[in-house]
Amino acid sequence: YEPLEFKGMLFQRGSCAHVAEAAKLSRVEWADEELVSMDEKAREVAETTEADVVVSDTALAALLSLPHAYLRDVFVPFVVEEKPGDSSMRVIIDDQVVPPHSATPHMLNEMYYAQSARSDLTDPTCKLSLSESQTPSNATYTQWELNGQRLVIRYTVHAFSKSDGDAAVTFAAKVETQTNSVEAQLASIRGRNEEIVERERLAWWLAAYLRGSASHVRVAHVDTMGNVLRVSQHTASDVQVPPTRALSELLRDLAQLPKGKYVLVHRRHAWDATVFRAVDGVDKRKSEAVLDLRDELAPVEMADAEADVEGDYVPMAWHGMPGHVPYTYAPCDLEPFCSPPVTWNKPSRTRRKQKKRKAKQ
C-alpha cells in the first residue's frame, strides 16, 4: 500500500446545493464539466505546485479500479507534456470515455440515475458558496502526494449536509435489476440486497476520501423504473483502504512516455491494457496496432444487451453462516447435519420437518 497523502487545498470556485429527499428519480440536469486538459485553472495550480500528475477524481477512480475491469472496456485519454523550464514530463488525465459499442443497458441506466440523484436529491434554493465567484458548477483543486509523485486532483462537491456540519456529500446510484422478482423484494424488506461489487466500493471510497473525513457518499439504490428503494450512506472509514501500488506504478510509467496525446485502452476479457499515441497518416492495413477513434466512437443503434448480462450481473448479497463457502448449499443426504441455508421466501427443508413434528405432537 502506497499512502495517498493530502498536502493542501489549492483553489475553490462556484457553489453547491443543500441535500434534499426524493422518492423517485425523474429530474435530470446535466452539468457541463470542463475537461481537465482544457482547464486553465488546473494548469495554473499545476505550475504553482510543480505537479507531476493532474487528474479528476472520476478518472482516478477509473484507474484505481482498472484491475477489476475484466468484463468492461476502459478508455482513458491523457496528455503528456513538458514542464516549463524542466526536462521532466507532466501527465494530464481526462475523464474516462465510454465508447457507444461498449455501453450496456445497465451501465447507461446507472449513469442516468447517478445524474438524476444529483438533481433530485439536492435543494437548489439553498446554496453554500465555495468562493466569491458564483458559477453554475463548482470545482475544488487539491494537492496530494503518492509515493513521491505530486498530484493535483480536481473534484466537484455535489451538495452539503447541514445536519453533518456542512460536510461534503457525493451522490451515486446503484441500479438493482433483480428487485422485480418476488424473492428479491422480500429480501430487500429483510435488509438483504444486491452485492456491492469492488468497482463500486473503490469509487465510493475514493469519493469520500478525497473530500475529507467528514464527507460521505449517498447512494440511491433504484429499481429499473427509477423508484428509490433506499439511500445508503458510506464514508471512507467504512471500506478497508485499497492497495494503491499498482496505481502509483501506472502513473509513474505514464510520465515516462514522450510528449504527446494518448489513450489508455483496456478491452473486455483482456488481462492487460494498451496505450495508444495520437499520430497522423497511419495506414491500418499495414499495422495491427492501430486504434481508429472514428470507429470506436461511432454511434450504435442499440446497447449491447449480451455484455449487460455477462459483465453487469450482480448476485444478491450472501448472508450465510461464517466459514461457509458463499453461494453453496449442503447435499441432500448431509443437509440434516448442516446449518440451514439462508432463504428469503420459504423455510428450509429442515425447518419444515421440525414444524411437521411439532404439529403431530
Side-chain angles (χ1 to χ4, degrees):
Y1 170 71
E2 302 290 350
L4 180 61
E5 300 177 351
F6 176 71
K7 293 300 181 180
M9 180 77 67
L10 300 174
F11 183 77
Q12 284 187 306
R13 58 177 168 83
S15 60
C16 59
H18 173 59
V19 173
E21 301 294 338
K24 185 178 179 66
L25 301 184
S26 58
R27 181 170 60 95
V28 175
E29 297 177 0
W30 296 100
D32 294 329
E33 296 183 1
E34 191 176 21
L35 293 175
V36 174
S37 60
M38 304 294 291
D39 189 345
E40 293 298 330
K41 191 63 184 180
R43 292 179 178 273
E44 179 184 331
V45 296
E47 295 294 337
T48 305
T49 59
E50 299 182 349
D52 302 308
V53 179
V54 183
V55 63
S56 68
D57 60 328
T58 53
L60 196 63
L63 296 179
L64 182 63
S65 60
L66 191 59
H68 307 280
Y70 179 72
L71 295 175
R72 285 176 174 262
D73 289 339
V74 178
F75 281 63
V76 180
F78 63 96
V79 179
V80 178
E81 59 184 26
E82 294 180 355
K83 295 181 182 178
D86 193 347
S87 58
S88 59
M89 295 294 181
R90 174 180 295 131
V91 183
I92 304 177
I93 306 174
D94 283 319
D95 290 342
Q96 177 183 353
V97 177
V98 180
H101 66 82
S102 301
T104 65
H106 185 276
M107 186 187 305
L108 295 176
N109 282 335
E110 210 155 73
M111 293 170 60
Y112 175 86
Y113 288 127
Q115 191 65 41
S116 183
R118 183 175 173 181
S119 303
D120 276 341
L121 299 179
T122 56
D123 182 5
T125 62
C126 183
K127 293 213 176 256
L128 173 67
S129 296
L130 302 179
S131 65
E132 295 180 358
S133 61
Q134 298 296 323
T135 56
S137 60
N138 67 78
T140 299
Y141 303 82
T142 52
Q143 182 181 5
W144 299 77
E145 186 171 311
L146 177 63
N147 194 19
Q149 301 174 90
R150 296 181 294 271
L151 278 66
V152 168
I153 302 178
R154 186 192 74 178
Y155 61 79
T156 299
V157 179
H158 294 172
F160 71 96
S161 176
K162 284 185 175 180
S163 59
D164 297 319
D166 292 346
V169 178
T170 304
F171 291 108
K174 179 176 176 60
V175 179
E176 303 204 1
T177 57
Q178 300 189 56
T179 53
N180 294 330
S181 66
V182 176
E183 182 171 320
Q185 290 176 2
L186 291 173
S188 181
I189 293 174
R190 300 179 185 182
R192 303 187 182 109
N193 308 279
E194 284 190 6
E195 188 72 68
I196 297 176
V197 300
E198 194 64 19
R199 170 179 52 84
E200 297 168 331
R201 202 186 316 273
L202 291 175
W204 301 346
W205 171 83
L206 187 64
Y209 182 73
L210 293 178
R211 290 161 177 80
S213 58
S215 69
H216 58 266
V217 179
R218 295 194 181 186
V219 182
H221 299 254
V222 300
D223 60 15
T224 54
M225 301 302 294
N227 299 305
V228 180
L229 304 174
R230 69 190 187 285
V231 178
S232 60
Q233 185 169 310
H234 305 269
T235 64
S237 59
D238 295 338
V239 181
Q240 183 179 1
V241 179
T244 55
R245 177 170 294 181
L247 174 64
S248 172
E249 293 177 352
L250 173 61
L251 296 178
R252 194 174 297 278
D253 290 342
L254 296 183
Q256 301 302 317
L257 295 171
K259 179 181 177 180
K261 297 180 179 179
Y262 299 86
V263 58
L264 183 145
V265 178
H266 169 269
R267 295 293 189 184
R268 189 184 306 161
H269 296 152
W271 291 107
D272 54 7
T274 305
V275 173
F276 293 87
R277 184 181 182 183
V279 294
D280 296 325
V282 174
D283 190 349
K284 293 191 293 184
R285 295 171 298 180
K286 297 181 180 180
S287 176
E288 296 181 356
V290 174
L291 179 73
D292 193 334
L293 292 181
R294 291 173 298 182
D295 295 339
E296 295 292 339
L297 302 179
V300 295
E301 296 182 359
M302 186 176 297
D304 190 352
E306 181 178 349
D308 184 33
V309 175
E310 179 188 33
D312 293 323
Y313 169 76
V314 179
M316 300 300 288
W318 173 255
H319 293 276
M321 297 295 293
H324 196 87
V325 179
Y327 304 104
T328 60
Y329 302 89
C332 295
D333 56 339
L334 297 178
E335 187 176 359
F337 306 99
C338 300
S339 302
V342 175
T343 54
W344 296 325
N345 60 348
K346 60 183 179 180
S348 65
R349 183 179 303 177
T350 304
R351 291 179 179 176
R352 289 201 302 270
K353 290 181 178 179
Q354 293 175 351
K355 288 183 178 180
K356 287 181 180 180
R357 291 171 183 169
K358 290 182 180 179
K360 290 181 180 179
Q361 293 174 357

